[in-house]
């Protein structure tokens, strides 16, 4: 295959290659030892060397080198596994290129020509492979060519798919093609001689929705911050809408919050995104949500089949999904029958004899001596082989783990892994007990120790016994453990409330946290050991919230419960620093500790935070806000009368935020809230949506007539306070005094007591048709809205902070921010991986040594700033090289925090000086661009002299080392650097308006060059050149006069002090002029005064920059990519 040319300095290093064919420009080589008998020593040595140097892949045995005649420099341009494959490439080079190379006089030009041809061949192959993945490769290849031709985007902007459709402009439809790429959607139409085309970045899309109007039966409306566009007449509107929603969601997650939001690794690599990948990803997201699987699980097969269900004595039709560690089955009607089989519990997967009643059967045998029968499996042989290969790999992995665990246990003490103590030096008894509680992992649920201290517990014993018998009967019929059949019957049992004795076990079963616990024995204990005693922002927040977690429960009025809660939360923050600790995690962890063992509570918390509520507990609780937006739409769909009476649903949404974050634990009486947690572990987030809708439905009449937000809050709070659990010790969440006050309020009618089981059953009945698939689709669309709302908030805050310091109009400042942000996105679109990663890392503002993120703050590096400089600088330069030099100096000057990044405030302040300030400030800025730190010793290589070293303190590198015994202070180079950095800190703390240092002769020459370059193309170009010539002459005379006076003064000093150093004399004799002298000289020429006082049109520059930004940066990044 053709390879991107890679330089090889030694064509035959270590004699590993043998040349088979050659000419002046090309070499065909074979790996030494390839094809020879196995006993030859050369083949054995080369094979061993390949294995050592590259354990993951073998070196291809044949290759073609491109060489520069007469040198040892070569490039690998092709390779092959067989001589036939590489001969095809060789023949192509000989017949198509070799004769053409003779016309080049310069051999290097010939080599560059060949490298360009090879890259072109590779690009064609890539397009061909991409097209081959589509249903109609020929048509897709044609569409790809048109996409590149019409929109002039870089080749790295990968086209995903395209659709024929209509774009509406008012009442006029325009038939054309909609192209969907990884970063943009683009439309092109050419009808009756009129061309219409536009490109919309996904990063600008704020809303996607399906609409119906009188003109269009159904259309897709795309809303950006500037306008709306509607597309209709798709052949498959459902598919087009799904793909557009996926691409917008994926792109915004990747661009706006790549660190905070979970995004599959495949989707982070834009070159791999295809329409087929998007379809697979949609199914995978659905499977992960339906079965609450770990986010790392990869989906392999999706197959229709039927499973034998003993409780119904029949086969249930549905779909089988296979992943890395699970076999998942769901009936055709979602939720009626679900089966989850961890491969870790599977003993074997075997094919049985196929018969007419049982076609293509497969038997899955469990370690618990149970078996599951699957029938009607298409392509059964391949499916079983694939599942068995993963089963064998998993069994081998577990056997190795058990061997290691057993070996560790044999050399350690017999103390259980979950118990350990620290010696303390405290003599006070209470402090010693507290230290022990802090570091001893509990082996039982807290409820076992504190159960009897709850009032009214004896009255519940009979109810608990009845529930236990019902569950035992259910286990007998439907199975026990993760692989039990989950049907509507178990749903009714869960709605009644799980008995306390089984609650911890069933939570572990429903969430499959038990599998994580089994495969990570000892993990939690080691986390506790590593995390306890460390102090950071997360631990400080945990300590603050420990005593706020269920403060009325006796378990958390005791050091035992507080210590267990501290260990679980601290261990999780140590395990997942990306989440760390978020408020509401303490409430959830407290409830988990009551009903599960401490280690089990930790794994339940892992399941909730990382699988069941994805993106809920990141730095901006994006997941919870997305679900709030989804909840609003569900209210409009499922409760239309309430939505009509309450047009602004944001109040209900804000009230319900705590419902989702704490699973109703913070708003319901404790025993009732625990029943909701039961439903959550069984059904996932769907249970919270259904219950939330039921609560609003039950109070819709009162909410429809409420007059303000506070009244709506009181209605819902009063209702939830009275939701009890019949037969349980239900303690209201509000104290009695608060209840009396709320009941005496004349605005709030008396609320009848509601049983939590009745409320849950009502939710399941009325909103039964709400499915996980619907929720996932809505999440995809609403995540776009939430992320864009966050971006708008960040923009508003940034502009509010900057606007007070500049004179630029708010409209222009808004447009400048968009240009600034787009420059950052362009690097993420088409820059290489390293520059994109650096740009994304720079976009977050950190606190406390990078532990947590405060906000997104866009900042530009040097290439990005240079691009905007060329687009927005008001003074044109006759030389692109000089423009680049000025841009580089400006960047150094603006990057005041010395992190080589420019913030928007610094950027706006610079433009404000150029466009809005008076002549003095403009000249002052030009002056500063021609003295250190902006002006470096080497303009070609700014890195040779760091701006950090440009201080007033001289650096004597070659100064003679004083004799140690002479008493003279010895200062090495490093000490001088430290002293200079200290001086920098002191200088930065001084007044900003301090006098500017004088300009030497070299710097003044650079200053004059800049002035000359600024006047090209001006109407008064000749007058300006004459004026600057006069000013230059005048300043030179001033400098010479001053230099003459300094020389005379230095000679007098030298006569009186013959011991002065040569360095000091040289410094005193230097030719300099001051800023005031240059400014005064410029003011003598009216042509220059008029030029600098002439107002520049920032609005026109911004409009031009918007048109040219994409093409300029796209072309530059494409060129850079081609030269790598």
């Amino acid at each position: 295959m053709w390879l991107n040319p890679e330089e090889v300095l030694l064509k035959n290093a270590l004699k590993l290659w043998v040349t088979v064919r050659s000419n002046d420009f090309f070499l065909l080589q074979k790996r030494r030892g390839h094809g020879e008998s196995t006993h030859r020593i050369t083949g054995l040595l080369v094979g061993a060397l390949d294995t050592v140097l590259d354990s993951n892949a073998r070196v291809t045995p044949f290759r073609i080198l491109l060489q520069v005649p007469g040198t040892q420099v070569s490039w690998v341009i092709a390779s092959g596994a067989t001589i036939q494959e590489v001969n095809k490439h060789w023949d192509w080079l000989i017949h198509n290129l070799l004769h053409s190379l003779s016309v080049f006089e310069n051999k290097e030009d010939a080599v560059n020509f060949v490298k360009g041809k090879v890259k072109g061949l590779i690009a064609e192959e890539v397009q061909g492979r991409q097209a081959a993945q589509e249903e109609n490769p020929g048509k897709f290849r044609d569409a790809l060519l048109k996409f590149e031709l019409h929109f002039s985007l870089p080749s790295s902007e990968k086209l995903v798919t395209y659709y024929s459709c209509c774009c509406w402009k008012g009442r006029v439809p325009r038939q054309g093609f909609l192209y969907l790429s990884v970063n943009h959607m683009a439309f092109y139409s050419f009808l009756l001689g009129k061309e219409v085309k536009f490109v919309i970045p996904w990063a600008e899309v704020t809303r996607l929705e399906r609409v119906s109007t009188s003109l269009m039966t159904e259309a897709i409306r795309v809303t950006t911050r500037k306008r709306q566009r509607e597309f209709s007449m798709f052949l498959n509107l459902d598919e087009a809408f799904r793909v557009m929603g996926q691409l917008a969601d994926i792109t915004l997650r990747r661009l706006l919050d790549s660190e905070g939001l979970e995004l599959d690794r495949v989707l982070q690599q834009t070159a791999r995104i295809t329409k087929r990948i998007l379809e697979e990803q949609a199914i995978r997201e659905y499977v992960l949500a339906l079965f609450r699987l770990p986010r790392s699980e990869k989906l392999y097969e999706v197959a229709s089949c039927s499973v034998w269900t003993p409780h119904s004595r029949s086969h249930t039709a549905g779909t089988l999904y296979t992943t890395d560690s699970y076999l998942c089955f769901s009936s055709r009607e979602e939720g009626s029958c679900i089966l989850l089989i961890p491969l870790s519990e599977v003993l074997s997967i075997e094919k049985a004899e196929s018969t007419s009643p049982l076609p293509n059967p497969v038997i899955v045998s469990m370690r618990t001596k149970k078996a599951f029968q699957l029938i009607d499996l298409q392509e059964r042989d391949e499916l079983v082989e694939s599942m068995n290969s993963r089963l064998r790999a998993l069994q081998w992995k577990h056997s190795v783990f058990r061997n290691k665990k057993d070996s560790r246990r044999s050399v350690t003490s017999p103390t259980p892994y979950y118990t350990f103590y620290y010696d303390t030096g405290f003599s006070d008894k209470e402090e010693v007990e507290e230290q022990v509680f802090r570091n001893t992992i509990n082996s039982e649920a807290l409820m076992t120790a504190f159960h009897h201290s709850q009032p009214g517990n004896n009255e519940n014993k009979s109810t608990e016994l009845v529930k236990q018998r019902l569950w035992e009967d259910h286990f007998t019929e439907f199975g026990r453990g993760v692989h039990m059949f989950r049907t509507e019957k178990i749903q009714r049992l869960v709605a009644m409330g799980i008995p306390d004795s089984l609650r911890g076990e069933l939570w572990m079963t429903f969430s499959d946290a038990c599998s994580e616990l089994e495969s990570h024995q000892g993990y939690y204990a080691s986390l506790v050991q590593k995390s306890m005693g460390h102090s950071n922002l997360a631990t400080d927040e945990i300590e603050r919230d420990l005593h706020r977690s269920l403060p009325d429960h006796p378990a958390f009025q005791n050091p035992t419960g507080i210590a267990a809660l501290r260990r679980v939360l601290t261990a999780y923050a140590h395990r997942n620093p990306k989440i760390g600790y978020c408020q509401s995690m303490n409430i959830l962890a407290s409830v988990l500790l009551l009903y599960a063992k401490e280690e089990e509570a930790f794994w339940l918390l892992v399941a909730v935070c990382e699988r069941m509520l994805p993106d809920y507990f990141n730095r901006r609780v994006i997941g919870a806000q997305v679900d709030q937006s989804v909840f609003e739409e569900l209210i409009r769909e499922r409760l239309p009368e309430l939505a009509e009476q309450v047009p602004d649903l944001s109040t209900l949404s804000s009230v319900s935020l705590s419902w989702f974050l704490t699973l109703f634990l913070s708003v319901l009486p404790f025993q009732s809230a625990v029943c909701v947690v039961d439903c959550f572990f069984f059904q996932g987030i769907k249970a919270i949506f259904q219950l939330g809708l039921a609560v609003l439905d039950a109070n819709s009449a009162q909410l429809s007539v409420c007059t303000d937000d506070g009244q709506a809050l009181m209605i819902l709070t009063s209702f939830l306070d009275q939701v009890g659990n019949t037969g349980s010790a239900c303690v209201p969440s509000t104290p009695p005094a608060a209840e009396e006050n709320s009941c005496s309020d004349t605005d709030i009618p008396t609320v009848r007591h509601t049983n939590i089981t009745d409320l849950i059953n009502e939710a399941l009945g009325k909103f039964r048709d709400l499915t996980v698939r619907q929720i996932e689709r809505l999440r995809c669309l609403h995540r776009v809205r939430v992320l864009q709302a966050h971006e708008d908030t960040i923009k508003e805050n940034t502009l509010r902070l900057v606007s007070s310091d500049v004179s630029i109009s708010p409209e222009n400042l808004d447009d400048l921010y968009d240009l600034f942000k787009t420059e950052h996105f362009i690097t993420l679109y088409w820059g290489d991986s390293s520059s994109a990663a650096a740009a994304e890392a720079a976009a977050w503002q950190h606190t406390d040594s990078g532990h947590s993120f405060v906000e997104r703050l866009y900042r530009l590096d040097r290439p990005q700033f240079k691009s905007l400089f060329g687009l927005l600088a008001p003074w044109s330069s006759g030389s692109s090289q000089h423009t680049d030099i000025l841009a580089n100096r400006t960047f150094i000057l603006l990057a005041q925090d010395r992190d080589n990044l420019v913030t928007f405030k610094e950027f706006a302040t610079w433009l404000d000086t150029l466009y809005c300030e008076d002549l003095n400030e403009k000249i002052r800025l030009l002056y500063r661009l021609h003295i250190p730190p902006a002006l470096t010793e080497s303009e070609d290589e700014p890195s040779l002299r760091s701006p950090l070293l440009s201080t007033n303190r001289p650096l004597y590198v070659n100064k003679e080392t004083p004799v140690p015994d002479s008493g003279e202070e010895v200062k090495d180079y490093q000490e001088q650097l430290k002293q200079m950095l200290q001086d920098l800190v002191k200088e930065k703390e001084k007044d900003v308006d301090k006098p500017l240092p004088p300009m030497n002769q070299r710097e003044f020459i650079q200053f004059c060059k800049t002035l000359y370059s600024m006047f090209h193309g001006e109407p008064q170009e000749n007058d300006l050149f004459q004026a600057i010539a006069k000013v230059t002459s005048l300043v030179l005379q001033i400098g010479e006069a001053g230099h003459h006076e300094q020389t005379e003064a230095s000679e007098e000093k030298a006569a009186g002090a013959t011991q002065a150093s040569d360095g000091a004399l040289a410094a005193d004799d230097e030719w300099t002029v001051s800023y005031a002298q240059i400014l005064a000289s410029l003011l003598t020429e009216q042509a220059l005064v008029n030029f600098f006082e002439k107002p520049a049109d920032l609005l026109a520059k911004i409009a031009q920059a918007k048109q040219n930004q994409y093409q300029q940066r796209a072309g530059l990044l494409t060129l850079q990519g081609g030269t790598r």
Side-chain angles (χ1 to χ4, degrees):
M1 63 179 176
W2 297 108
L3 303 176
N4 202 35
E6 182 178 352
E7 188 173 346
V8 180
L9 296 180
L10 297 176
K11 287 181 283 190
N12 199 8
L14 303 179
K15 303 294 182 182
L16 299 179
W17 294 90
V18 178
T19 300
V20 178
R21 305 166 70 176
S22 65
N23 54 48
D24 290 342
F25 288 94
F26 304 110
L27 294 173
L28 193 157
Q29 295 184 333
K30 180 184 75 170
R31 193 71 167 168
R32 184 178 294 277
H34 178 74
E36 300 176 359
S37 57
T38 55
H39 63 275
R40 292 288 295 272
I41 186 65
T42 56
L44 293 175
L45 287 175
V46 173
L49 186 62
D50 289 344
T51 303
V52 171
L53 294 180
D54 188 355
S55 60
N56 296 321
R58 295 290 182 263
V59 178
T60 53
F62 298 96
R63 70 179 184 180
I64 298 177
L65 299 182
L66 167 65
Q67 64 177 352
V68 179
T71 69
Q72 290 296 313
V73 180
S74 302
W75 290 267
V76 180
I77 60 174
S79 65
T82 63
I83 187 64
Q84 292 81 7
E85 179 185 359
V86 81
N87 272 337
K88 291 180 180 179
H89 295 331
W90 177 268
D91 294 340
W92 189 92
L93 292 170
I94 299 302
H95 292 102
N96 294 279
L97 291 186
L98 187 60
H99 298 296
S100 303
L101 300 181
S102 59
V103 302
F104 290 94
E105 296 180 1
N106 188 334
K107 301 302 181 184
E108 292 186 357
D109 290 342
V111 170
N112 290 332
F113 173 75
V114 175
K115 290 161 67 174
K117 283 291 186 182
V118 171
K119 290 180 180 178
L121 291 172
I122 294 173
E124 289 183 9
E125 286 185 354
V126 170
Q127 290 183 357
R129 286 196 298 270
Q130 182 180 351
Q133 296 176 358
E134 303 299 323
E135 297 178 358
N136 194 326
K139 286 187 177 180
F140 188 85
R141 188 179 290 106
D142 293 340
L144 185 59
L145 293 175
K146 292 178 181 178
F147 175 70
E148 295 176 351
L149 175 65
H150 294 323
F151 305 104
S152 303
L153 297 176
S155 57
S156 57
E157 181 64 21
K158 183 175 180 181
L159 179 65
V160 177
T161 188
Y162 66 99
Y163 297 98
S164 173
C165 66
C166 232
C167 178
W168 290 79
K169 186 177 181 181
R171 293 177 174 270
V172 180
R174 289 204 161 271
Q175 183 65 35
F177 283 92
L178 181 66
Y179 299 89
L180 306 180
S181 68
V182 291
N183 297 307
H184 304 82
M185 58 180 297
F187 179 79
Y188 181 84
S189 173
F190 187 82
L191 289 174
L192 302 176
K194 187 172 182 180
E195 182 183 60
V196 174
K197 65 177 181 180
F198 55 83
V199 176
I200 303 175
W202 292 120
E204 290 299 315
V205 174
T206 58
R207 182 184 292 262
L208 283 170
E209 54 190 338
R210 297 173 67 160
V211 296
S212 298
T213 65
S214 57
L215 295 175
M216 301 167 285
T217 55
E218 195 168 20
I220 298 175
R221 177 178 292 163
V222 180
T223 306
T224 66
R225 291 181 174 86
K226 302 296 183 183
R227 61 178 302 173
Q228 288 182 348
R229 294 189 184 272
E230 293 177 346
F231 304 89
S232 66
M233 301 185 186
F234 291 89
L235 292 177
N236 191 337
L237 187 138
D238 292 335
E239 178 191 291
F241 186 66
R242 176 182 57 79
V243 173
M244 291 169 70
Q246 280 186 279
L247 285 173
D249 175 44
I250 291 167
T251 305
L252 288 177
R253 279 195 282 175
R254 177 170 52 85
L255 296 179
L256 302 184
D257 206 351
S258 60
E259 292 296 324
L261 296 178
E262 295 290 342
L263 187 62
D264 190 73
R265 188 174 300 175
V266 174
L267 301 179
Q268 293 176 354
Q269 304 170 12
T270 56
R272 298 182 60 183
I273 297 179
T274 63
K275 182 179 173 183
R276 185 178 302 173
I277 290 292
L278 292 179
E279 292 173 354
E280 295 173 356
Q281 189 64 22
I283 298 174
R284 177 180 176 272
E285 291 288 339
Y286 168 67
V287 172
L288 294 184
L290 179 62
F291 298 96
R292 277 92 69 191
L293 302 182
R295 308 295 297 178
S296 58
E297 286 294 303
K298 180 181 178 182
L299 181 65
Y300 287 96
E301 293 95 10
V302 179
S304 298
C305 69
S306 297
V307 172
W308 174 255
T309 49
H311 54 274
S312 63
R313 301 187 180 278
S314 63
H315 285 91
T316 300
T319 306
L320 176 69
Y321 306 93
T322 68
T323 69
D324 291 302
S325 306
Y326 295 91
L327 304 180
C328 313
F329 174 83
S330 176
S331 58
R332 290 176 180 173
E333 182 183 353
E334 182 183 294
S336 63
C337 182
I338 288 179
L339 179 62
L340 181 64
I341 305 176
L343 284 179
S344 57
E345 298 185 19
V346 174
L347 191 62
S348 65
I349 303 175
E350 300 172 316
K351 294 178 289 185
E353 183 179 354
S354 182
T355 62
S356 55
L358 302 175
N360 296 330
V362 172
I363 306 299
V364 180
S365 302
M366 310 298 294
R367 299 184 184 277
T368 55
K369 299 182 179 180
K370 291 184 62 177
F372 297 94
Q373 183 189 72
L374 311 177
I375 63 171
D376 288 330
L377 280 165
Q378 302 297 323
E379 299 180 357
R380 179 183 64 164
D381 295 344
E382 293 82 357
L383 182 63
V384 171
E385 178 60 32
S386 176
M387 291 189 293
N388 273 320
S389 64
R390 292 195 295 277
L391 177 61
R392 288 191 295 268
L394 194 65
Q395 290 174 342
W396 176 82
K397 180 180 177 180
H398 286 178
S399 65
V400 171
F401 175 78
R402 281 193 295 269
N403 291 336
K404 288 183 179 180
K405 185 175 65 175
D406 294 340
S407 64
R408 285 199 301 267
R409 285 182 176 178
S410 63
V411 297
T412 55
S413 65
T415 304
Y417 77 93
Y418 51 80
T419 305
F420 49 90
Y421 300 91
Y422 291 105
D423 293 330
T424 65
F426 297 102
S427 57
D428 185 84
K429 182 178 179 181
E430 291 184 358
E431 292 181 343
V432 171
E433 290 178 353
E434 172 66 18
Q435 192 71 9
V436 172
F437 281 128
R438 277 175 174 264
N439 303 300
T440 305
I441 297 179
N442 295 331
S443 59
E444 296 294 337
L446 294 179
M447 188 62 76
T448 59
F450 297 97
H451 185 72
H452 294 290
S453 59
Q454 290 188 3
N457 187 66
N458 294 329
E459 301 176 5
N460 297 327
K461 284 187 177 181
S462 59
T463 305
E464 290 290 301
L465 291 175
V466 171
K467 290 182 180 180
Q468 288 181 27
R469 284 197 297 269
L470 291 174
W471 276 99
E472 293 296 337
D473 294 340
H474 184 273
F475 292 149
T476 303
E477 185 177 3
F478 292 86
R480 189 165 190 165
V482 177
H483 51 267
M484 73 167 69
F485 287 99
R486 308 181 190 190
T487 64
E488 294 180 353
K489 182 176 180 181
I490 195 173
Q491 183 173 290
R492 291 191 294 271
L493 283 176
V494 171
M496 294 170 57
I498 300 174
D500 292 347
S501 58
L502 296 174
R503 184 163 272 139
E505 174 193 342
L506 288 174
W507 285 358
M508 294 289 288
T509 296
F510 294 151
S511 65
D512 194 35
C514 51
S515 295
E516 295 278 0
L517 172 61
E518 180 63 27
S519 60
H520 294 83
Q521 293 289 337
Y523 175 78
Y524 174 66
S526 65
L527 270 185
V528 173
Q529 287 178 321
K530 293 175 184 176
S531 60
M532 294 303 290
H534 293 280
S535 179
N536 50 44
L537 180 62
T539 57
D540 293 343
E541 292 177 345
I542 290 170
E543 289 296 327
R544 183 188 63 200
D545 289 345
L546 283 177
H547 295 278
R548 304 176 184 175
S549 310
L550 302 184
D552 295 333
H553 199 286
F556 298 100
Q557 298 170 352
N558 187 287
T560 302
I562 294 296
L565 181 60
R566 177 186 294 110
R567 287 191 296 270
V568 169
L569 294 175
T570 306
Y572 184 78
H574 189 79
R575 164 191 165 86
N576 192 344
K578 183 186 292 187
I579 291 178
Y581 170 77
C582 294
Q583 286 188 349
S584 77
M585 287 174 64
N586 59 319
I587 299 175
L588 181 60
S590 301
V591 176
L592 299 178
L593 282 167
L594 288 176
Y595 296 100
K597 300 176 183 178
E598 185 174 326
E599 188 173 13
E600 294 175 345
F602 169 79
W603 286 111
L604 285 171
L605 185 64
V606 170
V608 172
C609 294
E610 298 177 12
R611 293 193 272 127
M612 303 183 74
L613 296 177
D615 302 328
Y616 260 60
F617 301 100
N618 59 22
R619 55 182 171 268
R620 299 189 291 177
V621 292
I622 295 293
Q625 294 184 55
V626 171
D627 281 350
Q628 293 311 291
S629 186
V630 171
F631 190 53
E632 283 188 32
E633 181 158 334
L634 290 176
I635 294 173
R636 293 188 181 95
E637 289 182 1
R638 307 301 175 109
L639 304 173
E641 295 180 358
L642 176 62
E644 185 178 350
Q645 296 296 325
V646 186
D648 184 11
L649 296 174
S650 58
T651 302
L652 301 180
S653 176
S654 60
V655 170
S656 64
L657 180 61
S658 62
W659 302 355
F660 287 82
L661 280 174
T662 65
L663 308 179
F664 282 89
L665 286 168
S666 62
V667 294
L668 282 174
F670 179 73
Q671 291 296 332
S672 301
V674 173
C675 292
V676 176
V677 178
D678 294 340
C679 296
F680 168 75
F681 275 112
F682 178 68
Q683 287 187 297
I685 194 63
K686 183 175 77 169
I688 307 300
F689 278 113
Q690 291 172 326
L691 186 60
L693 291 172
V695 169
L696 295 182
D697 186 39
N699 295 274
S700 59
Q702 300 175 45
L703 291 173
S704 298
V705 297
C706 67
T707 57
D708 54 50
D709 298 348
Q711 189 177 3
L713 176 62
M714 289 297 295
I715 291 171
L716 293 174
T717 302
S718 178
F719 174 81
L720 293 171
D721 280 342
Q722 304 303 320
V723 177
N725 191 357
T726 303
S728 67
C730 176
V731 181
S733 59
T734 56
E739 287 188 14
E740 292 175 6
N741 292 335
S742 63
C743 292
S744 62
D745 194 331
T746 57
D747 294 333
I748 308 298
T750 304
V751 180
R752 63 181 178 85
H753 290 268
T754 303
N755 183 270
I756 184 62
T757 300
D758 296 337
L759 185 62
I760 292 174
N761 286 327
E762 184 179 355
L764 295 175
K766 283 190 175 182
F767 308 105
R768 178 180 178 179
D769 57 337
L770 179 63
T771 64
V772 174
R773 192 183 300 275
Q774 293 173 349
I775 293 173
E776 288 303 304
R777 288 176 178 173
L778 289 174
R779 278 177 165 177
C780 181
L781 297 175
H782 286 266
R783 193 180 291 110
V784 173
R785 305 179 190 179
V786 171
L787 287 174
Q788 293 289 24
H790 273 271
E791 285 296 298
D792 291 340
T793 302
I794 293 171
K795 180 178 180 178
E796 291 171 4
N797 293 337
T798 304
L799 295 182
R800 184 168 57 251
L801 292 174
V802 173
S803 60
S804 59
D805 297 331
V806 298
S807 301
I808 301 174
S809 67
E811 295 78 11
N812 287 343
L813 201 61
D814 187 281
D815 290 335
L816 287 174
Y817 183 89
D818 291 339
L819 287 171
F820 193 86
K821 176 180 171 181
T822 300
E823 196 65 35
H824 167 80
F825 283 159
I826 288 175
T827 302
L828 298 184
Y829 292 158
W830 306 312
D832 58 23
S833 57
S834 59
S835 61
E840 182 62 13
W844 291 102
Q845 186 179 29
H846 296 265
T847 61
D848 71 327
S849 303
H851 175 77
S852 63
F853 295 90
V854 175
E855 63 175 351
R856 192 170 180 84
L857 179 68
Y858 294 108
R859 295 181 283 185
L860 300 185
D861 60 14
R862 194 183 302 265
Q864 294 168 334
F865 176 79
K866 285 183 178 181
S867 173
L868 284 183
F869 183 95
L871 292 169
L872 295 171
W875 302 317
S876 61
S877 176
S879 169
S880 59
Q881 181 180 2
H882 194 70
T883 301
D884 188 72
I885 291 173
L886 280 181
N888 185 67
R889 292 177 190 167
T890 307
F891 178 81
I892 294 173
L893 187 64
L894 294 182
Q896 295 177 359
D897 51 2
R898 299 179 177 86
D899 58 357
N900 280 328
L901 296 168
V902 172
T903 65
F904 178 72
K905 183 176 182 179
E906 294 163 344
F907 176 76
T909 303
W910 165 67
L911 285 176
D912 183 64
T913 302
L914 294 181
Y915 284 91
C916 303
E917 292 290 353
D918 57 15
L919 179 144
N920 290 0
E921 290 300 321
K922 293 177 183 177
I923 300 300
R924 182 183 179 88
L925 175 61
L926 284 174
Y927 185 92
R928 293 179 66 196
L929 291 177
H930 295 84
I931 59 174
L935 182 67
T936 59
E937 290 181 353
S938 174
E939 295 284 3
D940 297 330
E941 297 184 50
S943 61
L944 293 180
R945 179 181 179 185
S946 171
L948 292 176
L949 303 183
S950 300
T951 69
N952 297 327
R953 178 182 294 274
L955 180 63
Y956 300 103
V957 180
N958 297 321
K959 188 175 180 180
E960 295 182 4
T961 305
V963 181
D965 296 336
S966 64
E968 185 178 355
E969 184 181 0
V970 180
K971 283 191 176 182
D972 61 6
Y973 180 69
Q974 295 293 332
E975 290 177 348
Q976 292 185 51
L977 287 177
K978 291 179 181 178
Q979 184 62 44
M980 292 168 64
L981 293 175
Q982 293 175 3
D983 291 346
L984 282 171
V985 175
K986 294 178 182 179
E987 289 175 7
K988 191 172 182 180
E989 294 174 353
K990 293 179 182 178
D991 187 10
V992 179
D993 296 328
K994 65 180 181 180
L996 293 171
M999 180 182 285
N1000 62 32
Q1001 194 168 21
R1002 168 183 172 268
E1003 295 162 354
F1004 179 69
I1005 292 173
Q1006 296 295 325
F1007 181 80
C1008 293
K1009 284 183 179 180
T1010 299
L1011 290 178
Y1012 274 107
S1013 69
M1014 288 166 54
F1015 305 142
H1016 285 286
E1018 288 292 324
Q1020 296 81 23
E1021 184 175 348
N1022 292 333
D1023 295 341
L1024 290 169
F1025 280 143
Q1026 292 177 9
I1028 196 60
K1030 294 178 182 179
V1031 169
T1032 302
S1033 177
L1034 178 59
V1035 174
L1036 286 173
Q1037 293 175 15
I1038 295 173
E1040 288 296 332
H1043 178 64
H1044 181 69
E1045 293 177 0
Q1046 290 178 2
T1047 302
E1048 291 180 351
S1050 63
E1051 289 176 353
E1052 293 176 1
K1053 291 181 182 178
T1058 57
Q1059 303 299 322
S1061 66
D1062 294 339
L1065 285 173
D1068 290 340
D1069 293 344
E1070 190 173 13
W1071 183 101
T1072 60
V1073 291
S1074 68
Y1075 164 69
Q1077 291 170 334
I1078 291 179
L1079 178 61
S1081 301
L1082 289 170
L1083 291 176
T1084 62
E1085 294 295 329
Q1086 189 61 39
L1088 293 175
V1089 173
N1090 293 339
F1091 175 80
F1092 283 107
E1093 287 186 342
K1094 180 177 66 175
D1097 190 353
L1098 179 58
L1099 182 61
K1101 271 288 183 181
I1102 291 174
Q1104 186 179 4
K1106 287 180 179 180
Q1107 294 179 356
N1108 299 333
Q1109 184 178 26
Y1110 255 49
Q1111 284 72 19
Q1112 176 178 306
R1113 284 283 283 160
L1116 179 61
L1117 289 170
T1118 302
L1119 181 63
Q1120 292 174 349
T1123 57
R1124 287 190 181 96

